[in-house]
Amino acid sequence: MIDHLQYNIGVLAEELAKYCHGGYHPVHLNDLLCDGRYRILDKLGFGSFSTVWLAQDEVKDIYVSIKIAVAEQSHNPMASCKSCKLLHKPIIFIHVAWHMEIYTWATYCFESLVSVGYHFVMTRIGKVSKKDGSPSETGVPEYLVEPVEYKFDRSEILDEIQLVDFGESFFIGHPPNSIHTPMSLHPPELVFRHPLTEAVDIWNLGCTTYELVTGRTPFEAWMDDRELAPQFQKVLGGVPDQWIQDALKAGVFTEEPDISAANGFLSLEEDIQASYANGYDKETLDLDEEDLTTLRSYLRRMCIIKPTRRANLPELMLHPWVQAGNGVRKEEQWGEA
């Protein structure tokens, strides 16, 4: 494992330690991929399992985004690619000299971004070098690229942007045993090693909505997703006792979850209320007491321990929180009842 503390880096980017066997593939600006078809222009972002780059398609003369997964996640690229094919997304396979096949797919033509006034700020590059002057380990890039900032007029309606990420998608009829989503977003059925269904998306939608409103995830885990069990009990009001007993018998847990480990957490309703106790952040949503009540109801339909009891998407679309969306208050949209 690479010790990042031995290196000078200088920019905010992905973890240098993950440039190792099974990890990130080193990418530099102006690199050519797929026999010279795609030229790397800038970095759009990164995550725990991939980096995403803006590239020029030299054949079609368009901009595309290219996602390059870490090697250990690309051992079975067909699952993601099947999902992309089903949804008619273009797929590109790229072989690189880094232990395993790295796969990418072009997901979006950036011409639309340019047409609505997107301007890319000058790329920030941080040279990577050993503090003691010795050579870098194999696989460490010459420099890291800080993701580009997007600046645009908030009044612009960017109605052609597609948000695409099929890295952890699966077919309902063939669910995986696990998914590699951020640990803090692991649903209860994953923590307790129950079968996975489409209800994981509902759980993640609830957690993401919560984070967008409060600025933090409702649950936190860093090293082991079993840390979430007492938080589920504290925030949502309990985990079925049978789940706990089954987990103990199966060896998933070695002891019953200790709710005292979640002393710093409040119930979902209390935490939402506390987030707005002293007013609201001007950069977030302006919610009054009625809005908060509606939000709590909406979140409670998604953040439910048993996946079979969570709302489905049609039900959520009819919820007042969604119906009164786009910043339009209910009384303004429908009139006072």
Side-chain angles (χ1 to χ4, degrees):
M1 177 68 72
I2 295 170
D3 182 1
H4 71 281
L5 297 177
Q6 297 181 15
Y7 283 84
N8 295 306
I9 301 173
V11 294
L12 296 175
E14 63 275 9
E15 293 182 50
L16 187 68
K18 290 188 177 180
Y19 280 97
C20 59
H21 180 84
Y24 292 124
H25 174 66
V27 178
H28 299 97
L29 301 181
N30 285 316
D31 277 358
L32 294 173
L33 307 179
C34 200
D35 296 324
R37 177 167 180 175
Y38 300 100
R39 181 181 298 277
I40 298 297
L41 302 180
D42 214 328
K43 179 186 285 181
L44 298 176
F46 62 88
S48 299
F49 302 107
S50 65
T51 54
V52 182
W53 301 83
L54 173 67
Q56 173 80 25
D57 185 332
E58 303 284 359
V59 175
K60 294 186 177 181
D61 193 29
I62 60 174
Y63 296 104
V64 297
S65 64
I66 293 183
K67 179 176 182 177
I68 304 182
V70 295
E72 65 181 7
Q73 293 297 316
S74 62
H75 60 281
N76 183 24
M78 293 310 298
S80 296
C81 292
K82 286 179 181 177
S83 300
C84 290
K85 288 182 68 175
L86 183 66
L87 297 172
H88 308 293
K89 298 298 178 184
I91 305 164
I92 305 159
F93 283 92
I94 297 178
H95 293 267
V96 296
W98 186 239
H99 310 297
M100 305 181 75
E101 180 180 12
I102 303 292
Y103 65 98
T104 70
W105 56 89
T107 58
Y108 176 69
C109 174
F110 279 81
E111 287 179 335
S112 63
L113 297 183
V114 176
S115 70
V116 296
Y118 254 85
H119 302 294
F120 292 101
V121 179
M122 184 64 69
T123 301
R124 291 192 61 202
I125 295 175
K127 183 175 175 57
V128 174
S129 62
K130 277 283 194 69
K131 293 179 179 179
D132 62 7
S134 62
S136 297
E137 281 99 334
T138 302
V140 173
E142 295 180 17
Y143 54 82
L144 293 182
V145 181
E146 185 172 340
V148 70
E149 293 183 21
Y150 306 124
K151 291 190 175 180
F152 61 94
D153 187 341
R154 291 188 178 185
S155 65
E156 297 282 1
I157 300 177
L158 307 179
D159 57 356
E160 296 185 22
I161 290 181
Q162 302 177 40
L163 300 181
V164 180
D165 190 343
F166 299 102
E168 291 298 316
S169 61
F170 59 85
F171 293 102
I172 298 302
H174 299 88
N177 293 324
S178 182
I179 50 178
H180 296 88
T181 54
M183 192 171 294
S184 293
L185 297 180
H186 281 195
E189 57 267 38
L190 180 57
V191 174
F192 285 85
R193 310 303 186 254
H194 288 191
L196 301 180
T197 67
E198 65 270 30
V200 300
D201 286 336
I202 302 300
W203 176 270
N204 286 335
L205 176 60
C207 291
T208 301
T209 302
Y210 184 101
E211 183 175 8
L212 288 173
V213 174
T214 67
R216 61 188 182 282
T217 56
F219 311 101
E220 297 177 359
W222 302 104
M223 303 299 294
D224 189 330
D225 66 0
R226 288 173 294 188
E227 300 173 20
L228 297 171
Q231 298 174 30
F232 294 155
Q233 293 175 305
K234 188 69 176 292
V235 176
L236 300 180
V239 173
D241 185 65
Q242 190 61 53
W243 281 36
I244 296 175
Q245 297 308 313
D246 290 344
L248 290 170
K249 291 178 182 178
V252 175
F253 287 85
T254 58
E255 59 184 6
E256 291 195 18
D258 180 6
I259 196 170
S260 67
N263 280 344
F265 291 80
L266 301 173
S267 71
L268 185 147
E269 287 79 8
E270 290 173 332
D271 198 51
I272 289 292
Q273 190 66 42
S275 297
Y276 279 77
N278 299 312
Y280 67 96
D281 187 327
K282 300 298 183 182
E283 294 299 318
T284 61
L285 297 178
D286 176 6
L287 302 179
D288 60 21
E289 190 58 41
E290 181 182 359
D291 296 326
L292 293 178
T293 299
T294 304
L295 173 61
R296 288 191 287 264
S297 168
Y298 180 62
L299 292 174
R300 274 291 182 180
R301 295 297 298 119
M302 295 179 282
C303 297
I304 297 176
I305 298 296
K306 291 185 177 181
T308 55
R309 294 184 56 200
R310 291 174 206 151
N312 57 36
L313 284 177
E315 291 170 344
L316 292 175
M317 292 300 294
L318 295 176
H319 194 279
W321 176 264
V322 177
Q323 291 291 313
N326 300 319
V328 180
R329 292 204 180 278
K330 293 179 283 297
E331 61 268 21
E332 294 174 349
Q333 188 172 1
W334 302 313
E336 295 186 13

